Amino acid sequence: MHVNVMKISTPECKIETQSISIFNTGIDFVDPHLDCAETELNKPIEVFNKLMEEYEQQFTPRWLGVAGDDHTPSVGEWEIYLTDNSSFIFYGMEKFINYIPPAKLSALNIPDCSMIYLLDLAETSKSFTRQSKLDVRKSENFLSLEKPVETAMLVSVTGVKCLMANQWHCTLAENANRLKVSMKDLLEGGKTTGESVRLLFTPHQRVQPKTETENEKAPTPEKEGAENQGTERSDDMRPDEKEIQLDRSWYNMVCYGLPNLMVAQV
């Protein structure tokens, strides 16, 4: 499990998106129970460590966190880290709400926390066994509070401005890819929270940089006009639109709350 905390402040300049700047300090919780086997691919701890190294020069040198290979955080640590931060990242197995009970979470008052980013609901055989043993002792009403939408409601009660979270179970590979893509958009690309989630829905609309070979082969306006004479085609007949293969995992993450938060290097 990995928790990330970053300081956030409102910029003095007027911006249409009313964006919020996030300082380069953070808290991360990654795989707190160390549920991944040594041979597991896309282990959260390894994936997150690579991310920390990739953005070390600009954003992550002051990020703090707790990983399962260090120790398993207590409920008290969860409360402290959630309270003393302006953003929070959880990257681990099963349900986020399973690590801090609903009664504890809803009692927090954290209006200074602008964003919580949850990459949960992945599972391994070890995490599934652990979660099953916990769920069998819970009442139906208690389990209903651990559903994704109900979890979002509980988080919003604490005063958090934006929550980015999964809606159904997924694979470790899907969570790893989601983290890499969204962090690239938020940290490197300067996208807002809403824009980054939208691009997860529509990856085919993402602008791809052209290679030198493609630039050389690109037709000039004169040649393109000559080739297209008499062969005009309507926009709805473009072949690239017919070749899109939708993937269920694209629509897993949802942005609750403010879609205009922006990470800024300070």
Side-chain angles (χ1 to χ4, degrees):
M1 171 184 81
H2 199 129
V3 180
N4 180 46
V5 177
M6 294 172 283
K7 298 295 182 181
I8 300 182
S9 61
T10 304
E12 297 180 356
C13 57
K14 295 182 179 179
I15 305 176
E16 290 185 2
T17 58
Q18 201 176 0
S19 61
I20 295 179
S21 300
I22 302 178
F23 293 114
N24 58 342
T25 58
I27 295 177
D28 322 307
F29 276 61
V30 179
D31 195 9
H33 287 286
L34 203 62
D35 289 317
C36 281
E38 289 295 330
T39 57
E40 198 83 54
L41 297 176
N42 299 299
K43 293 172 61 176
I45 292 178
E46 293 182 355
V47 173
F48 203 89
N49 285 340
K50 290 180 181 179
L51 179 76
M52 295 278 285
E53 293 175 2
E54 182 179 355
Y55 295 103
E56 183 177 8
Q57 298 298 323
Q58 294 177 302
F59 297 99
T60 64
R62 295 173 59 192
W63 285 15
L64 305 175
V66 177
D69 57 358
D70 180 30
H71 71 279
T72 299
S74 64
V75 174
E77 284 183 275
W78 279 91
E79 293 178 310
I80 292 172
Y81 284 127
L82 280 167
T83 303
D84 298 334
N85 74 85
S86 58
S87 66
F88 180 94
I89 294 177
F90 169 74
Y91 183 20
M93 307 298 137
E94 303 301 337
K95 298 173 285 189
F96 160 76
I97 197 67
N98 183 63
Y99 296 91
I100 177 169
K104 294 286 187 179
L105 178 62
S106 60
L108 296 177
N109 181 25
I110 47 177
D112 293 333
C113 181
S114 292
M115 179 175 66
I116 289 182
Y117 185 86
L118 302 182
L119 279 173
D120 56 353
L121 298 180
E123 64 180 21
T124 61
S125 57
K126 181 180 177 180
S127 71
F128 179 79
T129 301
R130 176 175 53 80
Q131 186 67 52
S132 299
K133 291 179 179 178
L134 294 173
D135 289 347
V136 75
R137 294 179 291 179
K138 299 175 183 176
S139 67
E140 183 178 350
N141 290 335
F142 196 94
L143 287 172
S144 66
L145 293 175
E146 296 184 349
K147 295 179 180 179
V149 174
E150 283 72 11
T151 298
M153 293 179 182
L154 290 173
V155 170
S156 67
V157 168
T158 65
V160 174
K161 299 177 179 64
C162 177
L163 170 68
M164 298 170 65
N166 288 333
Q167 301 305 294
W168 55 75
H169 281 82
C170 58
T171 65
L172 288 171
E174 289 171 350
N175 259 357
N177 179 69
R178 197 170 292 122
L179 175 70
K180 294 173 185 176
V181 172
S182 57
M183 287 297 108
K184 184 178 180 65
D185 287 336
L186 288 170
L187 300 180
E188 185 179 332
K191 304 292 185 184
T192 64
T193 50
E195 288 173 332
S196 63
V197 171
R198 181 63 179 173
L199 286 173
L200 290 174
F201 293 170
T202 56
H204 53 282
Q205 294 183 0
R206 187 181 298 274
V207 178
Q208 300 293 341
K210 290 185 177 181
T211 62
E212 294 182 2
T213 305
E214 290 176 338
N215 289 331
E216 292 175 359
K217 293 182 178 180
T220 60
E222 294 79 6
K223 291 182 179 180
E224 187 176 6
E227 292 175 357
N228 291 338
Q229 282 184 349
T231 59
E232 294 182 355
R233 181 183 296 174
S234 61
D235 292 339
D236 58 349
M237 293 296 290
R238 287 184 298 178
D240 57 337
E241 293 184 352
K242 298 180 180 180
E243 296 173 358
I244 297 174
Q245 298 294 324
L246 299 181
D247 191 321
R248 179 174 179 268
S249 66
W250 294 355
Y251 309 97
N252 194 351
M253 179 160 284
V254 172
C255 177
Y256 297 95
L258 297 180
N260 58 350
L261 301 188
M262 183 182 297
V263 178
Q265 180 185 3
V266 177

mmCIF file of all heavy atoms in Angstrom, residues 133-149:
data_model
loop_
_atom_site.group_PDB
_atom_site.id
_atom_site.type_symbol
_atom_site.label_atom_id
_atom_site.label_comp_id
_atom_site.label_asym_id
_atom_site.label_seq_id
_atom_site.Cartn_x
_atom_site.Cartn_y
_atom_site.Cartn_z
ATOM 1 N N LYS A 133 -11.865 -13.845 5.117
ATOM 2 C CA LYS A 133 -11.949 -14.103 6.552
ATOM 3 C C LYS A 133 -12.491 -12.891 7.302
ATOM 4 O O LYS A 133 -13.173 -13.027 8.328
ATOM 5 C CB LYS A 133 -10.572 -14.481 7.095
ATOM 6 C CG LYS A 133 -10.074 -15.835 6.613
ATOM 7 C CD LYS A 133 -8.687 -16.137 7.166
ATOM 8 C CE LYS A 133 -8.192 -17.506 6.699
ATOM 9 N NZ LYS A 133 -6.815 -17.796 7.206
ATOM 10 N N LEU A 134 -12.189 -11.699 6.812
ATOM 11 C CA LEU A 134 -12.699 -10.479 7.443
ATOM 12 C C LEU A 134 -14.171 -10.251 7.106
ATOM 13 O O LEU A 134 -14.975 -9.904 7.984
ATOM 14 C CB LEU A 134 -11.874 -9.267 6.992
ATOM 15 C CG LEU A 134 -10.414 -9.222 7.430
ATOM 16 C CD1 LEU A 134 -9.700 -8.058 6.750
ATOM 17 C CD2 LEU A 134 -10.309 -9.092 8.939
ATOM 18 N N ASP A 135 -14.545 -10.455 5.847
ATOM 19 C CA ASP A 135 -15.914 -10.175 5.407
ATOM 20 C C ASP A 135 -16.939 -11.109 6.019
ATOM 21 O O ASP A 135 -18.096 -10.727 6.226
ATOM 22 C CB ASP A 135 -15.998 -10.257 3.879
ATOM 23 C CG ASP A 135 -15.298 -9.093 3.196
ATOM 24 O OD1 ASP A 135 -14.970 -8.111 3.898
ATOM 25 O OD2 ASP A 135 -15.076 -9.161 1.970
ATOM 26 N N VAL A 136 -16.555 -12.346 6.291
ATOM 27 C CA VAL A 136 -17.517 -13.316 6.815
ATOM 28 C C VAL A 136 -18.021 -12.933 8.205
ATOM 29 O O VAL A 136 -19.082 -13.377 8.648
ATOM 30 C CB VAL A 136 -16.885 -14.739 6.833
ATOM 31 C CG1 VAL A 136 -15.879 -14.862 7.980
ATOM 32 C CG2 VAL A 136 -17.955 -15.816 6.914
ATOM 33 N N ARG A 137 -17.271 -12.080 8.896
ATOM 34 C CA ARG A 137 -17.656 -11.660 10.250
ATOM 35 C C ARG A 137 -18.388 -10.319 10.259
ATOM 36 O O ARG A 137 -18.728 -9.804 11.333
ATOM 37 C CB ARG A 137 -16.412 -11.565 11.135
ATOM 38 C CG ARG A 137 -15.730 -12.909 11.394
ATOM 39 C CD ARG A 137 -14.493 -12.754 12.249
ATOM 40 N NE ARG A 137 -13.420 -12.069 11.523
ATOM 41 C CZ ARG A 137 -12.231 -11.791 12.053
ATOM 42 N NH1 ARG A 137 -11.983 -12.123 13.312
ATOM 43 N NH2 ARG A 137 -11.314 -11.176 11.342
ATOM 44 N N LYS A 138 -18.626 -9.738 9.087
ATOM 45 C CA LYS A 138 -19.277 -8.427 9.001
ATOM 46 C C LYS A 138 -20.755 -8.572 8.682
ATOM 47 O O LYS A 138 -21.169 -9.512 8.004
ATOM 48 C CB LYS A 138 -18.597 -7.568 7.926
ATOM 49 C CG LYS A 138 -17.133 -7.286 8.205
ATOM 50 C CD LYS A 138 -16.500 -6.534 7.049
ATOM 51 C CE LYS A 138 -15.013 -6.298 7.277
ATOM 52 N NZ LYS A 138 -14.362 -5.642 6.118
ATOM 53 N N SER A 139 -21.532 -7.629 9.147
ATOM 54 C CA SER A 139 -22.967 -7.624 8.856
ATOM 55 C C SER A 139 -23.222 -7.123 7.442
ATOM 56 O O SER A 139 -22.342 -6.526 6.798
ATOM 57 C CB SER A 139 -23.699 -6.739 9.862
ATOM 58 O OG SER A 139 -23.319 -5.375 9.678
ATOM 59 N N GLU A 140 -24.422 -7.349 6.968
ATOM 60 C CA GLU A 140 -24.784 -6.905 5.620
ATOM 61 C C GLU A 140 -24.729 -5.383 5.511
ATOM 62 O O GLU A 140 -24.274 -4.836 4.499
ATOM 63 C CB GLU A 140 -26.187 -7.407 5.273
ATOM 64 C CG GLU A 140 -26.635 -7.058 3.862
ATOM 65 C CD GLU A 140 -27.999 -7.615 3.533
ATOM 66 O OE1 GLU A 140 -28.524 -8.422 4.323
ATOM 67 O OE2 GLU A 140 -28.556 -7.232 2.473
ATOM 68 N N ASN A 141 -25.192 -4.698 6.548
ATOM 69 C CA ASN A 141 -25.158 -3.232 6.540
ATOM 70 C C ASN A 141 -23.727 -2.703 6.521
ATOM 71 O O ASN A 141 -23.422 -1.707 5.847
ATOM 72 C CB ASN A 141 -25.894 -2.679 7.758
ATOM 73 C CG ASN A 141 -27.386 -2.887 7.678
ATOM 74 O OD1 ASN A 141 -27.939 -3.019 6.586
ATOM 75 N ND2 ASN A 141 -28.048 -2.930 8.828
ATOM 76 N N PHE A 142 -22.849 -3.362 7.254
ATOM 77 C CA PHE A 142 -21.450 -2.943 7.284
ATOM 78 C C PHE A 142 -20.797 -3.151 5.926
ATOM 79 O O PHE A 142 -20.059 -2.287 5.439
ATOM 80 C CB PHE A 142 -20.696 -3.739 8.355
ATOM 81 C CG PHE A 142 -19.372 -3.144 8.732
ATOM 82 C CD1 PHE A 142 -19.253 -2.285 9.813
ATOM 83 C CD2 PHE A 142 -18.236 -3.429 7.996
ATOM 84 C CE1 PHE A 142 -18.026 -1.729 10.158
ATOM 85 C CE2 PHE A 142 -17.004 -2.881 8.332
ATOM 86 C CZ PHE A 142 -16.907 -2.025 9.413
ATOM 87 N N LEU A 143 -21.076 -4.291 5.301
ATOM 88 C CA LEU A 143 -20.503 -4.571 3.980
ATOM 89 C C LEU A 143 -21.005 -3.587 2.932
ATOM 90 O O LEU A 143 -20.280 -3.252 1.997
ATOM 91 C CB LEU A 143 -20.846 -6.003 3.554
ATOM 92 C CG LEU A 143 -20.085 -7.122 4.281
ATOM 93 C CD1 LEU A 143 -20.666 -8.475 3.906
ATOM 94 C CD2 LEU A 143 -18.601 -7.067 3.936
ATOM 95 N N SER A 144 -22.240 -3.118 3.082
ATOM 96 C CA SER A 144 -22.791 -2.171 2.103
ATOM 97 C C SER A 144 -22.042 -0.848 2.113
ATOM 98 O O SER A 144 -21.989 -0.139 1.108
ATOM 99 C CB SER A 144 -24.281 -1.930 2.374
ATOM 100 O OG SER A 144 -24.463 -1.265 3.621
ATOM 101 N N LEU A 145 -21.435 -0.502 3.257
ATOM 102 C CA LEU A 145 -20.663 0.742 3.351
ATOM 103 C C LEU A 145 -19.307 0.629 2.661
ATOM 104 O O LEU A 145 -18.637 1.641 2.452
ATOM 105 C CB LEU A 145 -20.458 1.126 4.815
ATOM 106 C CG LEU A 145 -21.697 1.527 5.609
ATOM 107 C CD1 LEU A 145 -21.332 1.766 7.069
ATOM 108 C CD2 LEU A 145 -22.339 2.777 5.006
ATOM 109 N N GLU A 146 -18.901 -0.597 2.328
ATOM 110 C CA GLU A 146 -17.594 -0.801 1.711
ATOM 111 C C GLU A 146 -17.658 -0.856 0.193
ATOM 112 O O GLU A 146 -16.657 -1.115 -0.458
ATOM 113 C CB GLU A 146 -16.965 -2.086 2.259
ATOM 114 C CG GLU A 146 -16.683 -2.025 3.750
ATOM 115 C CD GLU A 146 -15.975 -3.268 4.266
ATOM 116 O OE1 GLU A 146 -15.899 -4.259 3.507
ATOM 117 O OE2 GLU A 146 -15.493 -3.251 5.409
ATOM 118 N N LYS A 147 -18.835 -0.606 -0.375
ATOM 119 C CA LYS A 147 -18.967 -0.563 -1.826
ATOM 120 C C LYS A 147 -18.337 0.728 -2.354
ATOM 121 O O LYS A 147 -18.238 1.724 -1.619
ATOM 122 C CB LYS A 147 -20.438 -0.646 -2.229
ATOM 123 C CG LYS A 147 -21.101 -1.969 -1.858
ATOM 124 C CD LYS A 147 -22.571 -1.989 -2.255
ATOM 125 C CE LYS A 147 -23.228 -3.306 -1.889
ATOM 126 N NZ LYS A 147 -24.664 -3.328 -2.247
ATOM 127 N N PRO A 148 -17.909 0.757 -3.622
ATOM 128 C CA PRO A 148 -17.180 1.926 -4.150
ATOM 129 C C PRO A 148 -17.930 3.254 -4.025
ATOM 130 O O PRO A 148 -17.339 4.252 -3.590
ATOM 131 C CB PRO A 148 -16.959 1.548 -5.620
ATOM 132 C CG PRO A 148 -16.910 0.061 -5.612
ATOM 133 C CD PRO A 148 -17.906 -0.364 -4.580
ATOM 134 N N VAL A 149 -19.207 3.284 -4.388
ATOM 135 C CA VAL A 149 -19.954 4.550 -4.330
ATOM 136 C C VAL A 149 -20.133 4.998 -2.884
ATOM 137 O O VAL A 149 -19.988 6.187 -2.559
ATOM 138 C CB VAL A 149 -21.322 4.415 -5.028
ATOM 139 C CG1 VAL A 149 -22.144 5.686 -4.840
ATOM 140 C CG2 VAL A 149 -21.133 4.128 -6.509
#
